[in-house]
Amino acid sequence: DLNVVEFEDPDVMFTETEDIILEVVGDSGSCEHVLAAEDIQGIEIEPPDPRRRDRGFVAANGESIPHVGQAHLNIVSGEGAGNIKGTFQIAPVSRPLMSTAKICDNGNAVTVREEKGVVKSKSGAVICTFYRKQNLYVANLVSKRNRSTNTHGACGTSKSQPAIDPA
C-alpha cells in the first residue's frame, strides 16, 4: 500500500475540525486494539466479526467486558513513516488501548525503555512514540474522520510525503 498524507500548512499538521485526537495507551497485555464508542463519536461502528469465537474481553481484574463491534480508523501519528493497522474493537473500556502484539503482528517492532516506547517499521523508520505518563506508555494519535475508512492509517511528517505500509 502507498498512502499520501497531505497537509495544507506543513507547520500545522492537524487542523481539520473532523479529526479525533485519541490519547492511546500502548498495552502489552491487550490482545486487540480497543476503545469505547464514545471515543469515536461520528465514526461508523460495524457489528462484531462473526468469525470471532470470543464474544467479549477479560479485564485485568478478571471482569468480563462485552464486545460491541469494530471500527476502521485512519490513524495518523504525526511522526515518521509507515502504517499501523487501524481496526479497533469497540468495548466499554476506560481508555483507548493499542495492542503491542497487534502492532508487532503487522511487521513492526516495539522497543520499550524507561521513558518511552518506540514503534518502528521493518525498515527501521519510526512510526509512533508512546511516552511514559503516570506509569503508562501513551501516544497522542489522530483519527482522520473524513478520510476513507480503511484498515491502514497513514503516518507522515510533511506535505505530500508518501507513507509506505511496511507489511
Side-chain angles (χ1 to χ4, degrees), residues 43-162:
I43 300 238
E44 179 184 357
I45 297 175
E46 300 172 358
D49 186 339
R51 295 173 293 179
R52 288 178 53 105
R53 285 181 249 197
D54 63 324
R55 298 292 175 230
F57 302 99
V58 179
N61 65 3
E63 289 185 24
S64 180
I65 301 173
H67 184 210
V68 177
Q70 64 183 14
H72 304 290
L73 304 183
N74 190 3
I75 300 290
V76 178
S77 76
E79 62 179 296
N83 293 324
I84 300 173
K85 295 280 186 180
T87 300
F88 279 74
Q89 302 309 312
I90 309 300
V93 293
S94 61
R95 63 177 53 102
L97 304 173
M98 249 181 136
S99 166
T100 302
K102 285 286 183 190
I103 293 170
C104 293
D105 287 348
N106 290 323
N108 303 303
V110 179
T111 305
V112 180
R113 302 274 189 243
E114 184 178 352
E115 72 283 352
K116 64 184 174 182
V118 178
V119 179
K120 292 185 178 180
S121 68
K122 286 180 186 176
S123 67
V126 174
I127 296 172
C128 163
T129 303
F130 289 84
Y131 292 94
R132 194 165 181 175
K133 179 180 174 184
Q134 298 175 341
N135 257 0
L136 298 172
Y137 291 89
V138 178
N140 288 315
L141 302 177
V142 176
S143 176
K144 302 302 239 178
R145 218 189 303 213
N146 59 347
R147 306 252 182 201
S148 65
T149 54
N150 58 32
T151 59
H152 292 76
C155 299
T157 57
S158 65
K159 188 171 186 152
S160 297
Q161 179 178 356

Side-chain angles (χ1 to χ4, degrees), residues 22-38:
L22 297 169
E23 186 176 79
V24 180
V25 173
D27 190 344
S28 62
S30 180
C31 62
E32 296 283 351
H33 301 322
V34 183
L35 49 69
E38 301 82 51

